Amino acid sequence: MALTIKEVEHVALLARLSLSEDEKVKLSQQLGAILNYADTLNTIPTDNVEPLTHILSVHNVFRADEVQPSMPREEMLANAPLVEAGYYKVPKIM
Amino acid sequence: MSKDYEVVIGLEVHAELKTQTKIFCSCSTAFGAEPNTQTCPICAGFPGVLPVLNKKVVDLAITTGLALNCEIPNICKFDRKNYFYPDSPKAYQISQFDMPICINGYLDIDVEGRRKRIGINRVHMEEDAGKLVHQGDITTTPFSLVDLNRCGIPLLEIVSEPDMRSAQEARAYMEKLRAMLLFAGVSDCKMQEGSLRCDANVSVRPIGQVEFGTRTEIKNLNSFRALERAIEYEAARHIEAIKGGETLVQETRTWDEEKQLTRSMRSKEEAHDYRYFPEPDLLPLKISQEWVNSIRAAFPEMPEQAQKRLVEEYGLPEYDAQILTLTPDSLAFFDQCLKQYPDAKTISNWMMGEFNRLLNQNNMEIGESKVTAAGLVQMLKSIDDGTISGKMAKMVLEEMFATGNCPEVIIREKGLVQISDEGTLLTLIDDIIKTNPKVVEDYKSGKEKAFGFFAGQIMKATQGQANPTLVNKLLKDRLNHIQ
Ligand SMILES: [Zn+2]
């Protein structure tokens, strides 16, 4: 079942994508097909199966609370398009 | 507050945990560092990195759960909360959605002598976001500056049930919660530095109505006072809207401290849609009963136990006990005083009175003050042995507060020694009686004021240093013996 155009627009907004009208129609079909495929999982009986929280059956992997040096600021900022006074500089969001 | 309506309040509190390192990487959490000097590819959200959980965070979360009478489920996990904002470089926050570490707790508060139980819905672990700094004039600048030092600092979000019915109850809850977190040693709870933050959900309904009214969420509440004022303002705004037949909008509002009002934070996005899903990069936690028990076994004294001790062992009033146990520093100060001075109520009076006044005046916590327990005790002993009067002691304490000097030095330097020598005082008294025969007559004819005049003259002649109790006694004696 295809997604509605409204649903596609909502998802696109959340993902910050701007889509043409043609793309919306195309994606409504494609996303619908993906959901249908995933829906086949719902046909499997799971009444006696414990819910899985992670694909690996490993738990409790921890780090000790010990400080390690951070990365030098110049290296951290090296890939930033805009930098000022040790800060990342970005368009204002209000 | 109108009698026909009741306000319904729930609080979401964020507490920064007292760890050395961040929640998923080994960067320092120290406050006040230069921008972007405490970051690494993990906390700055570079592609391909993997988070590893700090065990201390889990220990502190369990501690908090126990302090708040929560259940600690056997298993919990992390989830991704997705949103775009420049303070969140990954474009998601690692948080806990449907399987938080603590659930179903409560906290008892006392308001005007009544005890009330406030439900705790949940406590979950999450990472903090970065900080946006606005450059120049906020309305005209086209840029924001981003500091990611705070990104990945461990937080607990503590969500109450909507069980509070007044701004006063909300404040009491917040104060009690802060005391619990401080005593449990899980957070510094410095509201000004942002290590304790609070959002309030407020709605109003006619008394007797079961359904909740439309709720608004108030952000940016950085002090107990702001919390109280914002709730009062918001409740009044709701009531006015309901009475005027307006429809309230469910929205997020911010508290404007300067103008003392709440303002709508127009959301650019449609209704929040965080699309939570399980964090695949972190493994679930299994929390065994042994783990919980080992934390329970190491639990420090909590405010309620301490209050009980103060009331039962030292005979303090409930009210005193509550105030003295608002912070561990305050309780430790009291306990230290009591080791060297036997009168609990006198210590409490000075701590809650003069000392507290000085702290409030200077916007300080007891731990930041130069006054030590030993200093306060020395001052109290100087009152007891008649060296200084209670009035002088207030001056001494002020000086101790300002300079950190010990009372002995202050008393000597300021020449504050009380005159308790009977001979000296009697000479003065006789002199004043002799030069004021008219006032003596007044006294004899029963005019109370006359006595005050003489006492005042003695204090004036000694620049306030005469021992007032002794002056009264000697003066009465002399006057009554005049025929
Ligand atoms: Zn880091």
Side-chain angles (χ1 to χ4, degrees):
Chain A
M1 199 176 58
L3 259 65
T4 65
I5 296 296
K6 229 179 149 190
E7 284 168 326
V8 173
E9 285 171 346
H10 176 62
V11 175
L13 176 72
L14 291 170
R16 299 295 185 274
L17 294 173
S18 81
L19 303 175
S20 69
E21 294 308 313
D22 287 351
E23 284 170 322
K24 285 179 198 168
V25 174
K26 200 166 132 196
L27 281 166
S28 71
Q29 316 270 330
Q30 291 184 342
L31 288 172
I34 292 170
L35 290 182
N36 284 343
Y37 176 66
D39 269 347
T40 54
L41 282 174
N42 285 338
T43 62
I44 300 163
T46 54
D47 290 347
N48 298 315
V49 181
E50 276 282 298
L52 193 68
T53 46
H54 198 277
I55 193 156
L56 300 176
S57 58
V58 182
H59 297 88
N60 297 10
V61 174
F62 298 120
R63 203 185 80 240
D65 186 28
E66 286 157 13
V67 177
Q68 305 284 333
S70 290
M71 196 177 243
R73 181 162 73 184
E74 312 76 66
E75 285 181 42
M76 287 302 297
L77 294 176
N79 292 324
L82 280 174
V83 164
E84 186 169 313
Y87 292 93
Y88 300 87
K89 190 171 173 182
V90 300
K92 183 178 68 170
I93 309 250
M94 287 302 294
Chain B
M1 185 78 202
S2 165
K3 277 202 191 73
D4 307 328
Y5 296 91
E6 75 173 350
V7 55
V8 176
I9 305 153
L11 296 183
E12 284 170 26
V13 174
H14 285 94
E16 192 180 305
L17 290 173
K18 228 157 78 178
T19 57
Q20 299 298 310
T21 65
K22 294 187 179 182
I23 183 167
F24 300 123
C25 68
S26 301
C27 288
S28 167
T29 55
F31 180 78
E34 287 292 303
N36 295 307
T37 54
Q38 290 173 176
T39 70
C40 72
I42 295 174
C43 55
F46 284 22
V49 296
L50 286 174
V52 186
L53 180 59
N54 182 347
K55 177 159 185 291
K56 184 81 187 281
V57 171
V58 185
D59 285 334
L60 295 177
I62 295 172
T63 305
T64 305
L66 292 177
L68 301 177
N69 311 292
C70 292
E71 296 162 32
I72 319 277
N74 172 252
I75 198 151
C76 77
K77 69 171 171 76
F78 286 96
D79 301 274
R80 289 188 184 179
K81 178 181 179 179
N82 299 281
Y83 67 95
F84 284 110
Y85 207 68
D87 64 5
S88 168
K90 296 195 296 295
Y92 60 82
Q93 178 193 32
I94 302 179
S95 181
Q96 295 192 284
F97 181 54
D98 57 343
M99 296 173 77
I101 187 157
C102 315
I103 54 172
N104 298 338
Y106 64 84
L107 187 63
D108 289 332
I109 59 168
D110 296 285
V111 177
E112 287 173 344
R114 273 184 316 108
R115 174 147 287 208
K116 182 167 176 181
R117 180 156 293 182
I118 308 296
I120 307 276
N121 178 284
R122 60 188 278 155
V123 178
H124 71 247
M125 302 175 278
E126 63 184 28
E127 57 180 342
D128 205 349
K131 195 170 85 181
L132 294 185
V133 180
H134 296 284
Q135 202 183 14
D137 184 355
I138 188 166
T139 52
T140 56
T141 175
F143 293 108
S144 294
L145 301 179
V146 187
D147 174 9
L148 298 183
N149 281 350
R150 227 173 58 188
C151 251
I153 290 205
L155 299 178
L156 287 186
E157 180 171 330
I158 302 162
V159 183
S160 85
E161 297 292 352
D163 287 348
M164 287 155 274
R165 293 291 176 270
S166 68
Q168 211 188 354
E169 285 183 8
R171 185 192 174 120
Y173 168 85
M174 196 62 191
E175 281 183 341
K176 183 70 176 285
L177 181 60
R178 179 171 186 265
M180 300 294 275
L181 297 176
L182 284 171
F183 274 79
V186 299
S187 173
D188 283 334
C189 294
K190 290 185 178 154
M191 292 184 92
Q192 278 156 331
E193 286 180 12
S195 68
L196 189 69
R197 291 171 249 159
C198 174
D199 301 335
N201 287 301
V202 178
S203 67
V204 160
R205 64 182 169 192
I207 296 223
Q209 181 180 306
V210 180
E211 308 85 60
F212 292 126
T214 304
R215 149 175 72 94
T216 53
E217 182 181 5
I218 321 170
K219 297 205 172 275
N220 192 28
L221 303 170
N222 297 327
S223 67
F224 293 125
R225 194 174 157 71
L227 171 70
E228 242 180 324
R229 297 297 302 273
I231 290 172
E232 279 163 9
Y233 177 90
E234 195 60 10
R237 190 180 72 84
H238 286 212
I239 291 170
E240 207 168 299
I242 295 168
K243 281 184 174 165
E246 280 171 59
T247 327
L248 282 157
V249 196
Q250 183 172 333
E251 60 176 354
T252 305
R253 299 175 71 87
T254 183
W255 173 243
D256 186 330
E257 182 67 39
E258 218 167 285
K259 300 201 177 87
Q260 297 279 301
L261 49 80
T262 66
R263 275 189 289 109
S264 175
M265 296 167 83
R266 292 161 294 119
S267 82
K268 318 124 280 217
E269 210 171 309
E270 325 175 14
H272 284 300
D273 186 346
Y274 292 126
R275 296 148 292 144
Y276 283 96
F277 64 85
E279 167 58 85
D281 290 345
L282 287 163
L283 294 157
L285 297 179
K286 266 192 181 161
I287 296 167
S288 66
Q289 202 51 50
E290 293 82 71
W291 189 353
V292 175
N293 287 345
S294 73
I295 288 175
R296 200 193 301 270
F299 234 69
E301 184 184 41
M302 294 301 283
E304 278 176 24
Q305 289 163 275
Q307 280 167 27
K308 202 162 167 240
R309 177 165 66 84
L310 298 192
V311 171
E312 287 176 6
E313 288 181 32
Y314 311 126
L316 285 184
E318 293 270 356
Y319 179 75
D320 291 40
Q322 274 171 28
I323 301 289
L324 293 174
T325 54
L326 279 177
T327 66
D329 284 348
S330 156
L331 178 64
F333 190 98
F334 172 82
D335 279 333
Q336 271 171 15
C337 288
L338 200 63
K339 269 189 207 147
Q340 310 159 58
Y341 190 81
D343 183 354
K345 182 60 184 153
T346 301
I347 299 170
S348 166
N349 286 347
W350 279 90
M351 281 182 67
M352 292 177 17
E354 267 319 279
F355 190 16
N356 195 42
R357 187 183 64 78
L358 291 167
L359 289 170
N360 285 342
Q361 223 168 50
N362 293 277
N363 212 356
M364 277 163 78
E365 297 274 350
I366 202 161
E368 301 165 331
S369 144
K370 290 176 184 156
V371 177
T372 61
L376 187 75
V377 165
Q378 211 184 86
M379 189 205 81
L380 295 176
K381 286 180 175 167
S382 303
I383 305 174
D384 291 349
D385 66 19
T387 310
I388 54 173
S389 65
K391 206 169 174 185
M392 287 175 182
K394 287 187 184 175
M395 284 166 61
V396 172
L397 186 63
E398 251 171 58
E399 201 60 23
M400 286 161 69
F401 190 87
T403 63
N405 282 342
C406 72
E408 246 170 34
V409 171
I410 295 165
I411 291 167
R412 185 163 5 99
E413 281 181 356
K414 300 250 158 192
L416 281 176
V417 181
Q418 183 168 247
I419 302 168
S420 297
D421 178 60
E422 293 203 7
T424 314
L425 292 176
L426 281 174
T427 316
L428 284 167
I429 288 170
D430 289 341
D431 206 42
I432 282 163
I433 287 178
K434 204 178 292 170
T435 49
N436 293 284
K438 174 85 179 58
V439 191
V440 176
E441 265 173 51
D442 287 350
Y443 177 77
K444 287 284 163 194
S445 65
K447 283 187 186 155
E448 283 294 317
K449 268 192 190 159
F451 186 84
F453 168 81
F454 284 122
Q457 288 297 307
I458 306 289
M459 293 317 275
K460 201 170 155 192
T462 58
Q463 284 160 331
Q465 283 175 251
N467 179 333
T469 324
L470 197 56
V471 168
N472 282 351
K473 178 178 160 283
L474 296 174
L475 190 59
K476 212 166 260 173
D477 225 43
R478 273 304 205 251
L479 287 169
N480 291 343
H481 280 88
I482 298 172
Q483 294 307 315

